[in-house]
Short mmCIF file of all heavy atoms in Angstrom, two decimals:
data_model
loop_
_atom_site.label_atom_id
_atom_site.label_comp_id
_atom_site.label_asym_id
_atom_site.label_seq_id
_atom_site.Cartn_x
_atom_site.Cartn_y
_atom_site.Cartn_z
N ALA A 13 -26.10 -121.34 2.30
CA ALA A 13 -25.90 -120.29 1.31
C ALA A 13 -25.43 -119.01 1.95
O ALA A 13 -24.95 -118.12 1.26
CB ALA A 13 -27.21 -120.07 0.55
N ALA A 233 -52.77 -65.52 -9.60
CA ALA A 233 -52.00 -64.86 -10.67
C ALA A 233 -50.92 -65.76 -11.19
O ALA A 233 -50.36 -66.56 -10.48
CB ALA A 233 -51.40 -63.56 -10.12
N ALA A 310 -18.84 -59.23 7.68
CA ALA A 310 -19.68 -60.17 6.89
C ALA A 310 -21.01 -60.41 7.55
O ALA A 310 -22.06 -60.43 6.86
CB ALA A 310 -18.90 -61.51 6.73
N ILE A 380 -44.06 -91.46 -26.85
CA ILE A 380 -44.43 -92.39 -27.94
C ILE A 380 -43.31 -93.44 -28.13
O ILE A 380 -43.58 -94.65 -28.28
CB ILE A 380 -44.65 -91.64 -29.26
CG1 ILE A 380 -45.92 -90.75 -29.13
CG2 ILE A 380 -44.81 -92.58 -30.41
CD1 ILE A 380 -46.18 -89.86 -30.32
N SER A 468 -41.68 -101.29 3.06
CA SER A 468 -41.54 -100.02 2.36
C SER A 468 -41.62 -98.87 3.33
O SER A 468 -40.99 -97.82 3.12
CB SER A 468 -42.65 -99.87 1.31
OG SER A 468 -42.47 -100.81 0.26
N SER A 530 -43.53 -73.94 5.11
CA SER A 530 -42.65 -72.81 4.91
C SER A 530 -43.18 -71.80 3.92
O SER A 530 -42.53 -70.81 3.63
CB SER A 530 -41.29 -73.32 4.40
OG SER A 530 -41.44 -74.04 3.20
#
Side-chain angles (χ1 to χ4, degrees):
I380 293 175
S468 294
S530 60

